[in-house]
Amino acid sequence: MKEKQRIGSAFRNLKERFELTGIILILLLIIVISTCLSDKFLKPVNIFNILRQSSVTAVLAYSETLLIIMGCIDLSVGSIAALGGIFGIMVYASTGNMLLAVLAAILTGGAISFAASLFIAFLDVPPFIATLASNLVVRGFVYVVTKGQPVVPESGFSNFGQGTFFGFLPYIVVAMFIVAIVIYIIMHHTTHGRRIYAVGGNKEAANASGVNVGRVIIITYIISGMLCGLAGIMTVSRVNSGMPTTALGYETDAIAATVIGGTSFTGGVGNPWGTVIGAFIIGIIGNILNLMGVYSYVQDIFKGLIILMAVVIDLRGKRRKN
């Protein structure tokens, strides 16, 4: 039995590597095309803008990746990020300590997702419905807290979102890669990670084999929420402002990055490194469309079509396999 599991794991890792190579080639192709379309694309200022924005998208996409692999989803990641970021600003205003502000944002996100996960794990509310309701409640709470007005941080708050190591490596890009490593370790080298794949692959079989499905769902949603809180404070620190509309619609980019990165919407399949590349693909597409003067609502059409095509390709691949 253990030998079969080892062979299965090795085959899955090999398959993930092939898929990752394909996604990397797509990223390189998009970079080449973008370079040809605009002479501003490769300018350092533009590259740093892409890196910072894509880092926020990637952290939010990690949260969706964990959940989608588990067979769930979260439509409230943008609202959770907004509330986490604004609470982070408030903590910084009270303490002047950026580390405490980051922790406040992370804990806020974890607490919100924990509350939503209880409905999913114990009351069997579909994740789509539970997180749709959570999105409305949390976004409404954002407006209540901010009173519909921008929240302006104290001096120094923007250092985290705008600062760099050695004058060229943004802090939030480093934070994003640290998160990627942590998520990879969780998914590939911990019992909880294996259980996430098991629940996403077949919830009933996982439950029959002794996996506490409810506990796996709750813990995974808490981790997801904490990532949302981190993405929130990365966002407000990057723009040095907390708006009621902060991270509005970011769940679309997060889901798009996840499915482009090879995570299957049917659950049980996904690679955190693919999510990173998917986030950069989304970031570059949005950036080149901005440089070309394409309206934001037209960009939404592109993102919607990308998600639709990625899901169709995934489903067709699953049908051929079956």
Side-chain angles (χ1 to χ4, degrees):
M1 185 65 178
K2 287 184 178 180
E3 183 65 18
K4 287 178 66 177
Q5 288 178 342
R6 189 183 65 80
I7 294 172
S9 178
F11 177 78
R12 188 179 71 189
N13 289 337
L14 183 62
K15 183 172 179 289
E16 285 181 354
R17 287 173 187 169
F18 276 117
E19 290 175 347
L20 196 59
T21 301
I23 299 167
I24 291 171
L25 291 175
I26 292 172
L27 174 62
L28 294 175
L29 177 62
I30 291 173
I31 290 173
V32 172
I33 293 172
S34 300
T35 303
C36 296
L37 290 174
S38 174
D39 57 359
K40 297 179 181 178
F41 178 75
L42 289 180
K43 289 188 175 181
V45 172
N46 190 57
I47 295 298
F48 281 120
N49 284 336
I50 293 173
L51 286 173
R52 288 188 171 96
Q53 180 58 48
S54 298
S55 294
V56 173
T57 301
V59 173
L60 276 181
Y62 297 145
S63 70
E64 291 287 10
T65 298
L66 294 175
L67 297 176
I68 293 175
I69 290 174
M70 190 174 63
C72 297
I73 197 169
D74 192 343
L75 301 180
S76 64
V77 294
S79 296
I80 294 173
L83 189 58
I86 288 167
F87 276 171
I89 291 175
M90 293 177 174
V91 170
Y92 185 82
S94 300
T95 65
N97 189 312
M98 194 63 200
L99 179 58
L100 290 178
V102 172
L103 288 175
I106 291 172
L107 292 175
T108 298
I112 295 169
S113 291
F114 169 69
S117 71
L118 296 177
F119 290 91
I120 298 167
F122 296 129
L123 298 178
D124 291 327
V125 177
F128 182 92
I129 299 300
T131 59
L132 177 62
S134 175
N135 181 52
L136 294 173
V137 171
V138 175
R139 182 62 66 174
F141 201 66
V142 169
Y143 275 91
V144 170
V145 171
T146 62
K147 298 179 181 177
Q149 301 297 319
V151 179
V152 181
E154 299 289 330
S155 175
F157 182 80
S158 63
N159 289 343
F160 177 53
Q162 300 177 11
T164 60
F165 286 108
F166 314 114
F168 70 92
L169 188 58
Y171 293 147
I172 60 175
V173 175
V174 174
M176 181 271 291
F177 278 112
I178 290 173
V179 171
I181 292 169
V182 171
I183 296 301
Y184 179 82
I185 291 171
I186 290 173
M187 296 304 295
H188 290 270
H189 298 284
T190 69
T191 301
H192 183 73
R194 290 190 289 273
R195 287 172 178 169
I196 289 175
Y197 279 107
V199 171
N202 191 319
K203 185 186 291 187
E204 288 72 22
N207 188 54
S209 65
V211 174
N212 188 328
V213 174
R215 181 187 297 170
V216 173
I217 289 173
I218 290 172
I219 292 174
T220 307
Y221 265 96
I222 290 173
I223 296 171
S224 171
M226 293 170 71
L227 292 174
C228 292
L230 176 60
I233 199 158
M234 289 166 66
T235 300
V236 296
S237 181
R238 187 174 73 89
V239 300
N240 200 33
S241 176
M243 303 283 289
T245 55
T246 292
L248 187 65
Y250 277 27
E251 57 276 356
T252 304
D253 287 355
I255 293 171
T258 301
V259 296
I260 289 172
T263 298
S264 173
F265 247 115
T266 56
V269 177
N271 183 349
W273 292 116
T275 297
V276 178
I277 300 168
F280 279 104
I281 289 174
I282 289 294
I284 291 171
I285 290 174
N287 178 263
I288 192 62
L289 291 176
N290 281 331
L291 292 177
M292 294 173 64
V294 177
Y295 294 115
S296 60
Y297 49 82
V298 178
Q299 295 180 32
D300 290 339
I301 295 173
F302 278 96
K303 291 173 185 176
L305 291 174
I306 288 170
I307 294 174
L308 187 60
M309 286 189 295
V311 173
V312 168
I313 292 169
D314 175 53
L315 291 176
R316 286 175 65 87
K318 284 287 178 66
R319 290 195 186 105
R320 287 198 203 98
K321 183 179 178 181
N322 292 336

